[in-house]
Amino acid sequence: MAEVLKGNVVANKIKEKMTEDIEQLGKLGKIPTLGIVRLGQNPGDISYEKSIIKNCDKLGIETKVFEKDENINTEELIELIEELNHDNNISGILVFRPLPKHIDEEIITNTISPLKDVDCMHPLNLEKIFEGDLSGFAPCTPKAAMEVLKYYDIPLEGKNVVVVNRSMVVGKPLAMMLLEENATVTICHSRTQNLNEITNNADVVVVALGRAKFFDESYFNEKSVIIDVGVSLDEDGKLSGDVDYDKLLPLVDKITPVPGGVGSVTTSILLSQVVLACKNM
Ligand code: NAP
């Protein structure tokens, strides 16, 4: 039976460190504060916002929600973000994505101050990741996957790690972070041929396709370590990862569950970056 790599213990460790940092900041009269910019009433955004606020409340991080009509234009949104950039009471800014189609996402991304860019959208912060400087903000999901690997002492140096995803929010930054750990990284995508041969030859496979139960036993073997980043609904409407978890649990070495794996670490990463932004103010 595979070892189940649960995310909650990883998140708790990050939260413990954050609690100490928040206490120290309090002694200096600083309170980490997250400004959330939400356009419209998308149920997914609202539920994510509620979970962030709940987590922030528990830790002593303040939140301020800036809800705007989804018909706001690019100029008005720029104005709001510039106000938040200059507001000394806001440590970090989170803008829910995707933005409505009429908003120029690139301009918005460039408007957020790199010093408050806790979701790592700004090109300057992404560039740092690609240069191998991991001291600043990082995209939360790939950083969460790295924290899971680190917590469970999964060796990466010299190991073959396959990442099935080439997006800027997951696959590309994750590949850079893995390279910094001296892994030999292969990035796969929808045009990759013989995917199951490649994944079978890997020591660690990170999957982030967004297709429930796509990966069956033909992709893995008894030595496989699987980090499942995918989140989607299966045919019964249940939250599922990319991997057929029940089928693979008895067959592989280590596996993250969905829900309860990488996803449960992501919010803690975001909040730790709000604390980092506050420290740097
Ligand atoms: P995305 O931009 O749609 O990326 C999906 C990737 O999968 C693309 O690189 C795509 O290749 C590749 N792909 C699709 N079909 C494939 C196939 N048959 N074989 C091999 N590769 C294939 O999505 P994303 O925003 O990166 O998110 C990916 C997943 O991660 C989603 O399930 C999302 O919900 C989840 N996610 C989870 C978290 C979390 O905190 N756990 C956070 C963010 C996202 P091409 O590039 O060739 O199209």
Side-chain angles (χ1 to χ4, degrees):
M1 194 62 81
E3 180 188 356
V4 178
L5 310 176
K6 289 190 180 156
N8 59 347
V9 283
V10 187
N12 288 344
K13 195 173 167 205
I14 297 166
K15 283 178 187 165
E16 268 171 33
K17 168 80 177 69
M18 245 190 283
T19 306
E20 285 168 21
D21 289 349
I22 293 168
E23 227 177 87
Q24 290 303 320
L25 285 167
K27 287 181 189 157
L28 302 171
K30 291 179 170 186
I31 304 170
T33 305
L34 173 65
I36 299 174
V37 177
R38 173 167 50 79
L39 307 187
Q41 305 261 343
N42 179 304
D45 287 350
I46 290 175
S47 128
Y48 184 34
E49 181 182 295
K50 274 190 188 151
S51 127
I52 291 174
I53 293 174
K54 201 169 122 197
N55 276 288
C56 283
D57 284 350
K58 277 191 202 150
L59 287 161
I61 296 175
E62 281 192 7
T63 43
K64 289 188 181 157
V65 176
F66 300 87
E67 180 188 343
K68 296 285 165 191
D69 194 280
E70 62 191 344
N71 293 320
I72 188 173
N73 62 38
T74 302
E75 288 68 36
E76 288 166 328
L77 189 54
I78 290 174
E79 213 171 287
L80 169 64
I81 292 172
E82 274 172 354
E83 263 172 43
L84 301 182
N85 284 344
H86 293 108
D87 185 340
N88 290 333
N89 295 316
I90 297 281
S91 336
I93 302 169
L94 172 68
V95 180
F96 282 139
R97 288 180 285 177
L99 292 167
K101 287 219 163 48
H102 67 275
I103 304 259
D104 187 330
E105 186 152 332
E106 198 184 333
I107 297 182
I108 299 305
T109 301
N110 280 287
T111 305
I112 298 174
S113 160
L115 300 171
K116 296 191 176 188
D117 175 35
V118 291
D119 201 24
C120 197
M121 288 173 78
H122 197 287
L124 273 181
N125 287 324
L126 280 170
E127 188 188 310
K128 276 191 180 174
I129 303 289
F130 280 73
E131 283 171 349
D133 175 359
L134 303 181
S135 63
F137 302 131
C140 299
T141 302
K143 176 104 190 266
M146 291 303 292
E147 289 295 326
V148 171
L149 289 163
K150 235 178 246 173
Y151 182 90
Y152 288 100
D153 276 331
I154 314 273
L156 294 172
E157 180 150 338
K159 300 293 177 188
N160 287 324
V161 182
V162 168
V163 178
V164 189
N165 181 299
R166 60 172 160 179
S167 75
M168 275 303 280
V169 275
V170 185
K172 285 177 183 160
L174 178 60
M176 296 304 122
M177 293 176 193
L178 289 162
L179 279 179
E180 275 313 293
E181 296 296 327
N182 298 315
T184 303
V185 186
T186 307
I187 303 184
C188 299
H189 46 80
S190 63
R191 314 285 170 88
T192 299
Q193 292 183 359
N194 306 325
L195 183 59
N196 52 4
E197 264 175 42
I198 299 170
T199 52
N200 258 301
N201 282 321
D203 298 298
V204 177
V205 182
V206 185
V207 292
L209 234 88
R211 283 169 70 177
K213 298 182 184 164
F214 177 90
F215 292 94
D216 61 16
E217 62 272 32
S218 69
Y219 290 87
F220 305 104
N221 58 58
E222 71 285 357
K223 289 184 182 154
S224 300
V225 175
I226 307 171
I227 307 294
D228 192 347
V229 177
V231 185
S232 41
L233 297 178
D234 68 11
E235 67 276 10
D236 302 322
K238 268 178 62 186
L239 215 56
S240 165
D242 286 348
V243 163
D244 194 336
Y245 180 83
D246 293 336
K247 218 186 242 179
L248 282 157
L249 187 62
L251 304 177
V252 299
D253 185 30
K254 299 180 194 335
I255 188 166
T256 57
V258 178
V262 176
S264 28
V265 184
T266 311
T267 305
S268 302
I269 298 290
L270 174 75
L271 303 192
S272 70
Q273 302 197 138
V274 178
V275 175
L276 176 66
C278 182
K279 272 191 200 170
N280 293 341
M281 273 177 97

Short mmCIF file of all heavy atoms in Angstrom, two decimals, residues 95-132:
data_model
loop_
_atom_site.label_atom_id
_atom_site.label_comp_id
_atom_site.label_asym_id
_atom_site.label_seq_id
_atom_site.Cartn_x
_atom_site.Cartn_y
_atom_site.Cartn_z
N VAL A 95 -5.41 39.41 -6.67
CA VAL A 95 -6.49 39.70 -7.63
C VAL A 95 -6.99 38.35 -8.16
O VAL A 95 -6.20 37.57 -8.71
CB VAL A 95 -5.97 40.55 -8.81
CG1 VAL A 95 -7.09 40.83 -9.80
CG2 VAL A 95 -5.35 41.85 -8.31
N PHE A 96 -8.28 38.07 -7.95
CA PHE A 96 -8.81 36.79 -8.42
C PHE A 96 -8.78 36.72 -9.95
O PHE A 96 -9.17 37.65 -10.64
CB PHE A 96 -10.24 36.58 -7.93
CG PHE A 96 -10.31 36.14 -6.49
CD1 PHE A 96 -11.26 36.65 -5.65
CD2 PHE A 96 -9.42 35.20 -6.00
CE1 PHE A 96 -11.34 36.25 -4.32
CE2 PHE A 96 -9.48 34.79 -4.68
CZ PHE A 96 -10.44 35.31 -3.84
N ARG A 97 -8.30 35.58 -10.43
CA ARG A 97 -8.23 35.32 -11.87
C ARG A 97 -9.07 34.09 -12.20
O ARG A 97 -9.27 33.26 -11.31
CB ARG A 97 -6.78 35.02 -12.27
CG ARG A 97 -5.89 36.22 -12.23
CD ARG A 97 -4.47 35.84 -12.63
NE ARG A 97 -3.77 35.13 -11.57
CZ ARG A 97 -2.53 34.65 -11.70
NH1 ARG A 97 -1.88 34.79 -12.83
NH2 ARG A 97 -1.93 34.00 -10.71
N PRO A 98 -9.50 33.86 -13.42
CA PRO A 98 -9.29 34.75 -14.56
C PRO A 98 -10.13 36.01 -14.45
O PRO A 98 -11.23 36.00 -13.89
CB PRO A 98 -9.75 33.88 -15.74
CG PRO A 98 -10.68 32.88 -15.15
CD PRO A 98 -10.25 32.64 -13.76
N LEU A 99 -9.58 37.10 -15.02
CA LEU A 99 -10.31 38.36 -15.06
C LEU A 99 -11.32 38.31 -16.21
O LEU A 99 -11.13 37.54 -17.16
CB LEU A 99 -9.32 39.50 -15.28
CG LEU A 99 -8.37 39.76 -14.11
CD1 LEU A 99 -7.23 40.68 -14.53
CD2 LEU A 99 -9.13 40.37 -12.93
N PRO A 100 -12.39 39.14 -16.13
CA PRO A 100 -13.33 39.17 -17.27
C PRO A 100 -12.58 39.49 -18.57
O PRO A 100 -11.55 40.18 -18.54
CB PRO A 100 -14.28 40.31 -16.90
CG PRO A 100 -14.12 40.53 -15.44
CD PRO A 100 -12.77 40.06 -15.06
N LYS A 101 -13.11 38.98 -19.67
CA LYS A 101 -12.40 39.04 -20.98
C LYS A 101 -12.06 40.47 -21.43
O LYS A 101 -11.06 40.69 -22.11
CB LYS A 101 -13.26 38.36 -22.05
CG LYS A 101 -13.27 36.85 -21.90
CD LYS A 101 -13.22 36.13 -23.23
CE LYS A 101 -12.83 34.67 -23.10
NZ LYS A 101 -13.55 33.91 -22.06
N HIS A 102 -12.93 41.47 -21.04
CA HIS A 102 -12.69 42.83 -21.53
C HIS A 102 -11.55 43.52 -20.79
O HIS A 102 -11.14 44.61 -21.15
CB HIS A 102 -13.98 43.66 -21.43
CG HIS A 102 -14.41 43.90 -20.01
ND1 HIS A 102 -15.16 43.01 -19.28
CD2 HIS A 102 -14.17 44.93 -19.16
CE1 HIS A 102 -15.37 43.48 -18.07
NE2 HIS A 102 -14.77 44.65 -17.97
N ILE A 103 -11.03 42.90 -19.72
CA ILE A 103 -9.93 43.52 -18.94
C ILE A 103 -8.60 43.03 -19.51
O ILE A 103 -8.44 41.83 -19.77
CB ILE A 103 -10.02 43.12 -17.46
CG1 ILE A 103 -11.37 43.48 -16.88
CG2 ILE A 103 -8.83 43.67 -16.66
CD1 ILE A 103 -11.45 44.71 -16.05
N ASP A 104 -7.67 43.96 -19.69
CA ASP A 104 -6.35 43.59 -20.19
C ASP A 104 -5.52 43.03 -19.03
O ASP A 104 -4.99 43.76 -18.20
CB ASP A 104 -5.67 44.84 -20.79
CG ASP A 104 -4.37 44.48 -21.48
OD1 ASP A 104 -3.72 43.51 -21.05
OD2 ASP A 104 -4.02 45.18 -22.45
N GLU A 105 -5.46 41.69 -18.98
CA GLU A 105 -4.83 41.01 -17.83
C GLU A 105 -3.34 41.36 -17.71
O GLU A 105 -2.80 41.50 -16.61
CB GLU A 105 -5.03 39.50 -17.97
CG GLU A 105 -4.54 38.75 -16.75
CD GLU A 105 -5.26 37.44 -16.47
OE1 GLU A 105 -6.43 37.28 -16.84
OE2 GLU A 105 -4.62 36.57 -15.86
N GLU A 106 -2.68 41.52 -18.87
CA GLU A 106 -1.24 41.81 -18.83
C GLU A 106 -0.96 43.15 -18.15
O GLU A 106 -0.04 43.27 -17.33
CB GLU A 106 -0.69 41.81 -20.27
CG GLU A 106 0.82 41.67 -20.28
CD GLU A 106 1.39 41.76 -21.68
OE1 GLU A 106 0.67 41.43 -22.65
OE2 GLU A 106 2.55 42.20 -21.80
N ILE A 107 -1.78 44.17 -18.48
CA ILE A 107 -1.59 45.48 -17.86
C ILE A 107 -1.81 45.38 -16.34
O ILE A 107 -1.05 45.92 -15.55
CB ILE A 107 -2.53 46.55 -18.48
CG1 ILE A 107 -2.22 46.74 -19.96
CG2 ILE A 107 -2.43 47.88 -17.73
CD1 ILE A 107 -3.05 47.80 -20.65
N ILE A 108 -2.86 44.65 -15.96
CA ILE A 108 -3.17 44.50 -14.53
C ILE A 108 -2.00 43.82 -13.80
O ILE A 108 -1.56 44.25 -12.74
CB ILE A 108 -4.50 43.70 -14.34
CG1 ILE A 108 -5.67 44.44 -15.00
CG2 ILE A 108 -4.76 43.40 -12.86
CD1 ILE A 108 -5.87 45.88 -14.53
N THR A 109 -1.51 42.75 -14.41
CA THR A 109 -0.39 42.01 -13.83
C THR A 109 0.81 42.93 -13.61
O THR A 109 1.48 42.87 -12.59
CB THR A 109 0.01 40.89 -14.82
OG1 THR A 109 -1.12 40.07 -15.01
CG2 THR A 109 1.14 40.05 -14.30
N ASN A 110 1.05 43.80 -14.58
CA ASN A 110 2.19 44.71 -14.50
C ASN A 110 1.96 45.86 -13.53
O ASN A 110 2.91 46.53 -13.13
CB ASN A 110 2.52 45.27 -15.88
CG ASN A 110 3.32 44.26 -16.69
OD1 ASN A 110 4.49 44.03 -16.44
ND2 ASN A 110 2.67 43.60 -17.63
N THR A 111 0.69 46.11 -13.18
CA THR A 111 0.37 47.23 -12.29
C THR A 111 0.61 46.89 -10.82
O THR A 111 1.00 47.74 -10.03
CB THR A 111 -1.11 47.67 -12.50
OG1 THR A 111 -1.31 47.96 -13.87
CG2 THR A 111 -1.45 48.89 -11.67
N ILE A 112 0.38 45.61 -10.46
CA ILE A 112 0.56 45.22 -9.05
C ILE A 112 2.01 45.45 -8.66
O ILE A 112 2.93 45.01 -9.37
CB ILE A 112 0.20 43.73 -8.85
CG1 ILE A 112 -1.26 43.49 -9.20
CG2 ILE A 112 0.50 43.28 -7.42
CD1 ILE A 112 -1.67 42.03 -9.18
N SER A 113 2.24 46.13 -7.54
CA SER A 113 3.62 46.36 -7.09
C SER A 113 4.30 45.01 -6.86
O SER A 113 3.75 44.16 -6.15
CB SER A 113 3.62 47.16 -5.79
OG SER A 113 4.86 46.98 -5.15
N PRO A 114 5.49 44.81 -7.43
CA PRO A 114 6.19 43.53 -7.21
C PRO A 114 6.41 43.24 -5.72
O PRO A 114 6.52 42.10 -5.32
CB PRO A 114 7.54 43.72 -7.92
CG PRO A 114 7.31 44.81 -8.90
CD PRO A 114 6.24 45.70 -8.33
N LEU A 115 6.40 44.31 -4.90
CA LEU A 115 6.63 44.13 -3.46
C LEU A 115 5.38 43.62 -2.73
O LEU A 115 5.45 43.17 -1.59
CB LEU A 115 7.07 45.45 -2.82
CG LEU A 115 8.35 46.05 -3.38
CD1 LEU A 115 8.58 47.45 -2.83
CD2 LEU A 115 9.53 45.15 -3.04
N LYS A 116 4.21 43.74 -3.41
CA LYS A 116 2.96 43.30 -2.78
C LYS A 116 2.32 42.14 -3.55
O LYS A 116 1.20 41.73 -3.27
CB LYS A 116 1.97 44.48 -2.71
CG LYS A 116 2.46 45.61 -1.82
CD LYS A 116 1.39 46.64 -1.56
CE LYS A 116 1.89 47.69 -0.59
NZ LYS A 116 0.83 48.61 -0.15
N ASP A 117 3.06 41.59 -4.48
CA ASP A 117 2.54 40.61 -5.44
C ASP A 117 2.58 39.20 -4.86
O ASP A 117 3.34 38.33 -5.31
CB ASP A 117 3.42 40.74 -6.71
CG ASP A 117 3.11 39.73 -7.77
OD1 ASP A 117 1.93 39.37 -7.91
OD2 ASP A 117 4.06 39.30 -8.45
N VAL A 118 1.74 38.95 -3.82
CA VAL A 118 1.83 37.70 -3.07
C VAL A 118 1.37 36.48 -3.85
O VAL A 118 1.63 35.34 -3.46
CB VAL A 118 1.04 37.81 -1.74
CG1 VAL A 118 1.75 38.77 -0.79
CG2 VAL A 118 -0.40 38.26 -1.97
N ASP A 119 0.69 36.69 -5.00
CA ASP A 119 0.26 35.57 -5.83
C ASP A 119 1.25 35.34 -6.99
O ASP A 119 1.02 34.51 -7.86
CB ASP A 119 -1.13 35.88 -6.39
CG ASP A 119 -1.88 34.62 -6.84
OD1 ASP A 119 -1.55 33.53 -6.34
OD2 ASP A 119 -2.77 34.73 -7.69
N CYS A 120 2.34 36.12 -6.98
CA CYS A 120 3.42 36.01 -7.97
C CYS A 120 2.90 36.07 -9.41
O CYS A 120 3.06 35.14 -10.19
CB CYS A 120 4.23 34.74 -7.74
SG CYS A 120 5.83 34.79 -8.58
N MET A 121 2.28 37.21 -9.74
CA MET A 121 1.78 37.43 -11.11
C MET A 121 2.73 38.32 -11.89
O MET A 121 2.80 38.25 -13.11
CB MET A 121 0.42 38.15 -11.05
CG MET A 121 -0.73 37.30 -10.58
SD MET A 121 -2.21 38.33 -10.38
CE MET A 121 -2.76 38.53 -12.07
N HIS A 122 3.44 39.21 -11.18
CA HIS A 122 4.26 40.21 -11.86
C HIS A 122 5.47 39.56 -12.54
O HIS A 122 6.14 38.71 -11.95
CB HIS A 122 4.74 41.26 -10.85
CG HIS A 122 5.24 42.51 -11.50
ND1 HIS A 122 6.44 42.57 -12.16
CD2 HIS A 122 4.68 43.74 -11.63
CE1 HIS A 122 6.61 43.78 -12.65
NE2 HIS A 122 5.54 44.51 -12.35
N PRO A 123 5.77 39.97 -13.81
CA PRO A 123 6.89 39.35 -14.54
C PRO A 123 8.23 39.43 -13.80
O PRO A 123 9.03 38.51 -13.92
CB PRO A 123 6.96 40.15 -15.85
CG PRO A 123 5.79 41.03 -15.89
CD PRO A 123 5.03 40.95 -14.61
N LEU A 124 8.42 40.51 -13.02
CA LEU A 124 9.70 40.61 -12.28
C LEU A 124 9.86 39.48 -11.27
O LEU A 124 10.95 38.94 -11.09
CB LEU A 124 9.77 41.95 -11.53
CG LEU A 124 10.30 43.14 -12.29
CD1 LEU A 124 10.32 44.36 -11.37
CD2 LEU A 124 11.72 42.86 -12.80
N ASN A 125 8.75 39.14 -10.61
CA ASN A 125 8.82 38.06 -9.61
C ASN A 125 8.96 36.70 -10.28
O ASN A 125 9.69 35.83 -9.79
CB ASN A 125 7.58 38.09 -8.71
CG ASN A 125 7.63 39.25 -7.74
OD1 ASN A 125 8.70 39.60 -7.25
ND2 ASN A 125 6.50 39.87 -7.48
N LEU A 126 8.28 36.53 -11.43
CA LEU A 126 8.42 35.27 -12.16
C LEU A 126 9.83 35.10 -12.70
O LEU A 126 10.40 34.02 -12.67
CB LEU A 126 7.41 35.20 -13.31
CG LEU A 126 5.99 34.81 -12.89
CD1 LEU A 126 5.04 35.01 -14.05
CD2 LEU A 126 5.95 33.35 -12.44
N GLU A 127 10.40 36.24 -13.15
CA GLU A 127 11.76 36.20 -13.70
C GLU A 127 12.75 35.69 -12.64
O GLU A 127 13.64 34.89 -12.94
CB GLU A 127 12.15 37.61 -14.14
CG GLU A 127 13.45 37.70 -14.90
CD GLU A 127 13.86 39.14 -15.12
OE1 GLU A 127 13.03 39.93 -15.59
OE2 GLU A 127 15.01 39.46 -14.80
N LYS A 128 12.54 36.15 -11.40
CA LYS A 128 13.42 35.69 -10.31
C LYS A 128 13.39 34.16 -10.18
O LYS A 128 14.41 33.53 -10.00
CB LYS A 128 12.96 36.30 -8.98
CG LYS A 128 13.47 37.68 -8.72
CD LYS A 128 13.17 38.01 -7.28
CE LYS A 128 13.64 39.38 -6.90
NZ LYS A 128 13.21 39.73 -5.55
N ILE A 129 12.18 33.60 -10.28
CA ILE A 129 12.04 32.14 -10.17
C ILE A 129 12.84 31.47 -11.29
O ILE A 129 13.54 30.49 -11.08
CB ILE A 129 10.55 31.71 -10.29
CG1 ILE A 129 9.68 32.40 -9.25
CG2 ILE A 129 10.39 30.19 -10.25
CD1 ILE A 129 9.86 31.94 -7.84
N PHE A 130 12.73 32.06 -12.49
CA PHE A 130 13.42 31.46 -13.65
C PHE A 130 14.93 31.66 -13.57
O PHE A 130 15.69 30.94 -14.22
CB PHE A 130 12.83 32.00 -14.97
CG PHE A 130 11.54 31.30 -15.32
CD1 PHE A 130 10.37 31.57 -14.60
CD2 PHE A 130 11.49 30.34 -16.31
CE1 PHE A 130 9.20 30.90 -14.88
CE2 PHE A 130 10.31 29.66 -16.59
CZ PHE A 130 9.16 29.95 -15.88
N GLU A 131 15.36 32.64 -12.75
CA GLU A 131 16.81 32.82 -12.54
C GLU A 131 17.32 31.95 -11.39
O GLU A 131 18.50 31.95 -11.09
CB GLU A 131 17.12 34.30 -12.22
CG GLU A 131 17.10 35.18 -13.43
CD GLU A 131 17.18 36.65 -13.05
OE1 GLU A 131 17.05 36.99 -11.86
OE2 GLU A 131 17.37 37.46 -13.98
N GLY A 132 16.38 31.26 -10.73
CA GLY A 132 16.79 30.37 -9.63
C GLY A 132 16.85 31.08 -8.29
O GLY A 132 17.36 30.54 -7.32
#
